[in-house]
Amino acid sequence: MSLQCGIVGLPNVGKSTLFNCISSGKAQSANFPFCTIEPNVGSTIVPDERLQVLEKLVNPQRVVPATVEIVDIAGLVKGASKGEGLGNQFLGNIRETDAIIHVLRCFDDPNIVHVDGNVNPVRDKEIIDTELQIKDLDTVENRIGKVQKQAQTGGDKNAKRLYEILVKYKEALEQGKSARTVKIDNAEDRKLAKELFLLTDKPVLYVCNVDENSAVSGNEYVEKVKEAIKDEDAQLLIVAAKIESEIAELESFEERQMFLNEIGLEYSGVSRLIKAAYRLLDLETYFTAGVQEVRAWTYPRGTKAPQAAGIIHTDFEKGFIRAEVIKYDDYVKYGSESACRDAGKLAVEGKEYIVQDGDIMHFRFNV
């Protein structure tokens, strides 16, 4: 499955620097608003140490990690929901993503101007939130106008349910709350809500972009952001994008790791960010392992075996017979599929099996 995250924030907060750091694409970084006019799209691998272990055990012809698409969306400004700056275009780019990476400037630098004059990440967050909420409110009100009559006549059950969902969203948005604060537990209702593609219904990862000295423990700006989002269902990550982008330019892994260790970090901001995005979207990984290929596959937590097979190819799901499953720890302990089979560590699972993170799977199917 394809995962896409959009990087948003005010101009000059470090979005493009972060994008350059985590993506194979190269976005222009410049000290003025709107230096990113078209959304830059890049792809980065999902870091997973288990792939390296499996590679040594299987010695395949190739290894294929899971990937994430990152979209660098130009800096939003106050009034973007009404078309200020290049707002409408950028808000459209956000709509297509699975999750939002909201970059907040948490560093002082007199050489990099702030679009609002001074550094205040909580204010910056509220500006972006407000613009996205205004756009969502416009979307919700338009949809209410279209489904209200259908809902009131009672002839269309889905229209009635959708109308009730829209009213809940409208009430929340009018109070300055994001759509994600509205709790919808019913699976069918959640499906209807998802089809609205509301911007503030997307999961959010706040990235506090700090100076090098604050890379490990953060600073007073980070603490203010933590306080501001304490009641949100969101995650926060501290990244020193400038120094990490410089480290990312180094040729060897050993060099990069040495410099990360020097600033007190075990893992790069890239690795931590992508893993955080996976947690945010409740995603997990299973593997296929053979002499031709060892590969990581991304799936939503709670996926059953036939649907997991369908991620590889739709025919696998249609003709699903069974799944042969080896737990990652068992594979590492015994060293091969045949050894796991001999040790009784290969399980045969049917259509109701819920895939577990790290499962090594082989699917039997017939179409």
Side-chain angles (χ1 to χ4, degrees), residues 287 289 323-332 334 336-341 345-349 353 356-362:
F287 303 98
E324 296 174 355
V325 184
I326 301 173
K327 298 302 177 184
Y328 172 80
D329 288 344
D330 288 334
Y331 201 104
V332 173
Y334 293 99
S336 69
E337 180 180 325
S338 59
C340 288
R341 190 186 299 271
K345 296 299 181 179
L346 186 150
V348 177
E349 304 289 357
Y353 176 70
Q356 302 298 304
D357 186 54
D359 279 354
I360 297 161
M361 308 190 74
H362 181 73

Side-chain angles (χ1 to χ4, degrees), residues 7 14-23 29 101 103 207 209 239 241 245 269-270 273:
I7 301 178
K15 299 182 313 303
S16 294
T17 302
L18 183 64
F19 176 85
N20 285 340
C21 189
I22 65 179
S23 171
S29 293
I101 299 169
V103 183
V207 175
N209 185 18
V239 174
S245 67
V270 176
L273 189 149

Side-chain angles (χ1 to χ4, degrees), residues 12 23 58-59 126-127 162 196 209 253 272 283 298 309 313:
N12 293 345
S23 171
V58 180
N59 193 26
E126 291 171 351
I127 288 173
L162 180 58
L196 295 169
N209 185 18
F253 171 79
R272 291 182 290 118
L283 298 175
T298 301
H313 196 285

Side-chain angles (χ1 to χ4, degrees), residues 5 114 167 301 311:
C5 297
H114 190 289
V167 169
R301 187 194 307 271
I311 293 169

Side-chain angles (χ1 to χ4, degrees), residues 174-215:
E174 286 178 337
Q175 293 172 29
K177 298 177 182 178
S178 294
R180 74 182 70 88
T181 63
V182 177
K183 300 301 179 186
I184 300 175
D185 298 323
N186 181 281
E188 288 299 316
D189 287 353
R190 188 64 205 154
K191 185 178 178 182
L192 288 173
K194 191 173 181 181
E195 290 170 357
L196 295 169
F197 296 102
L198 297 181
L199 304 175
T200 63
D201 195 31
K202 296 179 185 296
V204 175
L205 170 63
Y206 291 102
V207 175
C208 291
N209 185 18
V210 300
D211 58 274
E212 180 180 344
N213 293 331
S214 306

